Amino acid sequence: MFLHLLYDSFDFKSWIILFFLFLLLADIIKNRSPSNYPPGPWPLPFLGTVFTKMDFRSMNKLAKIYGNIFSLRVGSEKMIIVSGYKMVKEALVTQFDIFVERPHVPLFHKIFKGLGLKMSNGYWWRTHRKFGGLHLRLFGEEKKILENNIQQESVYLCDAFKAEKGPFNPMTILNSAVSNTIACLTFGQRFDYHDEYYQRILRLDNECFQIAGTCKAQLYNFCPWLLDYFPGPHQKLFSNYFQITDFLRGEIIKHKEDWDPLNPRDLIDSYLTEMEKKKSDPKAGFNVESLVVSCLDLIEAGTETSATTLRWGLLFMMKYPEIQKKVQAEIDKVIGQSRQPCVEDRADMPYTDAVIHEVQRLSDVLPMGFPKKSVKDTKLGEYFIPKGTSISANLSSVLHDPDEWETPDTFNPGHFLTENGQFRKRDAYLPFSAGKRACLGEQLARQVVFLFFASLLQRFTFSKGPGEELSLEGEIWFTYVPCPYRMCVTSR
Ligand code: HEM
């Protein structure tokens, strides 16, 4: 009777308003934060904080308002941002068993599908991380294959720099050189810098990093089911990745043709052997699709990050020529001009080592790392974090933490030197992140960056192109990259 009266007294407009109020109430109840949940900007109904930029600069600003642990919400997806050395250490190192899984990020899930290593979870991730670590150790460190490859590649790199007539942008050459060191481990071969097909693959991958950092592409995470049917940067990202994975599939087919399980030449061969061994354990995830994604993981995670670090390194050397001279003096003293740098030299070159560390500290190459999620309810600082909440560590805020660094925003190799010029480690140096999901390729990256940097400064002096303004302000992609610059190289 009462419902009947209510029905009769409501017109169409009132029903719409009632329906909207019902949805609003459902949204509020669904997204209600538990008590003692970290504070954050006020979320809009249904949308949350979807209009908040997700780059590290915006996160630094929000941390100043809400503190070192604050919350955001994209649609219904809750996330926590942690800043500063103490809190990031608490999350990634002290609670290493809790923030260990990757959350579901639709923009990346479409490509990585939770396979491979970087975006996988649970047993699948553990078996792939173990396999990847073993492969890198075997081919990289024990057999010294990696060091020999980097040394060989640095000859090609220096020759390509020398062949440039006049000022040039080093990006393409550095990307090619770095990717070749990883290609040797993955495909057992390097690619010529003029190989058009491979260059196209590198360009596509470079674009992916650029697109993935834009707000427009990240909007896809808010409503993938709808945006799948609309054009936009996310479609370009997917198309690029599909072309890259096609290339990887081709390489795998070629490997299968002459694969000899007793003589693994590279990652693909070793993986094919692992697939045979793990046939009875499908949950370990060793299959062809996962191999494609694993190749993408290594190539992608390693090339853009290490090549960008080198680009920042050369930029800092041009900006601070007196520091460049001191690095060259150390190279001349320890290595000389008659042989190539090797990994063992690093221990005798504290100044160069300190300069490279300072380049990595100040350049913020992967400023927000990759997101993780909590596998159970926990407490972080004074706040309650429910199971399944995404968490991002603002690595940039650690590398610039005023409580940890004497001159946080100034290029100062002294951060990594003792009073008598010896190298000193710093706890807050976390460009490779920390904890169980820390970078798998740290040792490889350190070798690549050291050997290329030392080889380049052994052979050349770097200066800016005429009329070039060198800016230390970078561009925010998924990585943080220097603005394009042109440089001159002078043989020494
Ligand atoms: C200067 C170069 C590099 C930097 C700054 C860097 C930095 C990072 C960071 C910050 C993470 C995220 C860790 C986290 O989630 O907490 C990561 C993950 C990863 N990196 Fe690197 N990286 C570099 C080079 C490399 C190289 C050369 C490789 C391999 C060839 C590599 C392979 C990986 C992999 C596989 C992961 C995912 C690990 C996992 O989920 O278990 N990285 N890296």
Side-chain angles (χ1 to χ4, degrees):
M1 178 72 176
F2 171 74
L3 285 177
H4 197 73
L5 268 177
L6 191 74
Y7 185 81
D8 283 347
S9 57
F10 269 36
D11 58 7
F12 182 68
K13 216 163 108 190
S14 312
W15 277 113
I16 294 283
I17 292 172
L18 193 70
F19 181 63
F20 178 78
L21 286 175
F22 171 76
L23 286 184
L24 192 65
L25 191 69
D27 181 72
I28 291 170
I29 292 171
K30 184 175 168 216
N31 296 309
R32 204 175 60 232
S33 295
S35 65
N36 213 18
Y37 188 69
W42 194 253
L44 294 170
F46 312 115
L47 302 175
T49 53
V50 74
F51 297 115
T52 303
K53 279 187 173 177
M54 293 299 295
D55 63 87
F56 71 104
R57 290 262 160 78
S58 314
M59 296 303 115
N60 286 339
K61 283 186 197 147
L62 289 174
K64 284 204 175 107
I65 305 171
Y66 298 102
N68 277 346
I69 309 178
F70 64 88
S71 59
L72 295 172
R73 175 160 73 77
V74 177
S76 289
E77 191 65 34
K78 288 194 169 101
M79 58 181 82
I80 304 290
I81 312 293
V82 184
S83 312
Y85 172 62
K86 286 204 171 71
M87 266 310 134
V88 169
K89 187 179 166 211
E90 159 86 27
L92 301 187
V93 181
T94 316
Q95 304 206 30
F96 64 90
D97 260 347
I98 292 178
F99 299 108
V100 76
E101 296 223 319
R102 297 280 182 226
H104 175 89
V105 181
L107 191 64
F108 296 122
H109 190 79
K110 187 115 180 160
I111 309 302
F112 293 89
K113 301 182 199 112
L115 309 177
L117 200 171
K118 209 166 58 181
M119 292 301 174
S120 62
N121 281 325
Y123 182 51
W124 193 299
W125 166 69
R126 282 198 301 280
T127 51
H128 279 73
R129 174 120 189 160
K130 193 170 162 200
F131 168 80
L134 271 175
H135 181 78
L136 289 181
R137 257 198 308 283
L138 180 67
F139 284 82
E141 289 147 41
E142 283 173 24
K143 290 196 187 171
K144 282 210 164 208
I145 293 176
L146 177 68
E147 184 175 3
N148 294 339
N149 285 341
I150 306 171
Q151 284 175 328
Q152 215 176 66
E153 195 60 42
S154 50
V155 175
Y156 291 108
L157 170 64
C158 290
D159 286 351
F161 270 17
K162 201 161 182 214
E164 291 289 336
K165 305 276 173 265
F168 67 101
N169 181 339
M171 183 168 118
T172 311
I173 301 177
L174 285 173
N175 268 4
S176 310
V178 170
S179 87
N180 269 342
T181 60
I182 294 159
C184 283
L185 288 177
T186 316
F187 314 122
Q189 68 166 107
R190 67 178 294 279
F191 295 86
D192 190 86
Y193 296 173
H194 301 289
D195 181 325
E196 278 186 21
Y197 183 46
Y198 191 64
Q199 283 301 321
R200 207 174 121 255
I201 297 296
L202 291 183
R203 263 199 310 279
L204 291 171
D205 193 45
N206 201 252
E207 268 173 22
C208 288
F209 274 88
Q210 194 165 7
I211 297 170
T214 62
C215 299
K216 274 191 190 165
Q218 285 170 10
L219 205 61
Y220 180 82
N221 293 330
F222 173 59
C223 44
W225 41 271
L226 182 67
L227 288 176
D228 260 340
Y229 300 99
F230 284 87
H234 55 285
Q235 301 289 10
K236 170 92 182 116
L237 185 88
F238 300 149
S239 145
N240 281 16
Y241 272 129
F242 290 140
Q243 292 176 66
I244 299 171
T245 47
D246 272 353
F247 159 75
L248 295 174
R249 275 192 196 93
E251 288 297 318
I252 293 167
I253 291 170
K254 277 193 231 156
H255 272 68
K256 275 184 169 171
E257 282 163 11
D258 50 6
W259 166 57
D260 173 3
L262 297 177
N263 280 310
R265 296 156 294 185
D266 47 40
L267 177 120
I268 298 182
D269 277 356
S270 306
Y271 197 102
L272 292 172
T273 310
E274 203 66 17
M275 271 166 60
E276 286 297 312
K277 277 198 221 154
K278 295 262 164 50
K279 256 186 176 157
S280 56
D281 184 9
K283 286 194 180 140
F286 284 88
N287 56 53
V288 174
E289 268 315 288
S290 199
L291 171 55
V292 172
V293 176
S294 299
C295 292
L296 186 62
D297 280 341
L298 287 181
I299 291 181
E300 250 220 327
T303 302
E304 175 66 23
T305 44
S306 310
T308 302
T309 303
L310 284 163
R311 273 201 290 149
W312 277 113
L314 297 182
L315 177 61
F316 280 117
M317 292 304 96
M318 290 188 285
K319 197 82 182 168
Y320 303 108
E322 68 291 352
I323 295 181
Q324 181 174 181
K325 273 199 195 117
K326 282 174 89 172
V327 172
Q328 287 171 328
E330 190 174 63
I331 292 173
D332 292 347
K333 191 173 126 218
V334 177
I335 307 169
Q337 286 287 339
S338 57
R339 68 166 177 89
Q340 283 194 290
C342 62
V343 171
E344 277 166 13
D345 291 326
R346 189 165 51 195
D348 301 322
M349 297 171 68
Y351 189 74
T352 307
D353 207 8
V355 166
I356 293 175
H357 277 70
E358 186 64 354
V359 167
Q360 286 205 266
R361 183 188 76 80
L362 215 58
S363 58
D364 284 327
V365 167
L366 209 52
M368 297 295 295
F370 303 138
K372 281 162 276 287
K373 77 173 179 196
S374 53
V375 293
K376 57 178 175 183
D377 289 353
T378 188
K379 224 180 141 204
L380 191 57
E382 59 195 278
Y383 297 112
F384 172 69
I385 314 288
K387 176 181 173 179
T389 312
S390 297
I391 171 170
S392 279
N394 183 343
L395 299 178
S396 169
S397 72
V398 178
L399 296 169
H400 295 251
D401 189 332
D403 294 334
E404 299 295 325
W405 305 97
E406 294 75 28
T407 57
D409 299 316
T410 312
F411 189 79
N412 171 11
H415 282 136
F416 295 94
L417 291 169
T418 60
E419 271 175 13
N420 47 17
Q422 293 308 302
F423 181 80
R424 76 162 163 151
K425 284 188 178 165
R426 301 294 298 263
D427 291 342
Y429 175 73
L430 296 184
F432 297 99
S433 191
K436 279 199 171 174
R437 291 293 311 224
C439 177
L440 180 73
E442 174 172 349
Q443 292 312 320
L444 192 159
R446 280 160 53 79
Q447 285 195 26
V448 169
V449 171
F450 172 75
L451 291 176
F452 279 162
F453 188 73
S455 304
L456 286 170
L457 283 146
Q458 181 189 40
R459 291 277 304 273
F460 305 110
T461 297
F462 296 91
S463 55
K464 66 189 178 78
E468 195 79 11
E469 282 298 323
L470 294 180
S471 166
L472 294 181
E473 274 300 303
E475 288 175 2
I476 299 178
W477 296 6
F478 188 75
T479 39
Y480 183 58
V481 303
C483 293
Y485 61 77
R486 289 178 323 135
M487 63 180 200
C488 297
V489 296
T490 314
S491 293
R492 302 183 59 220

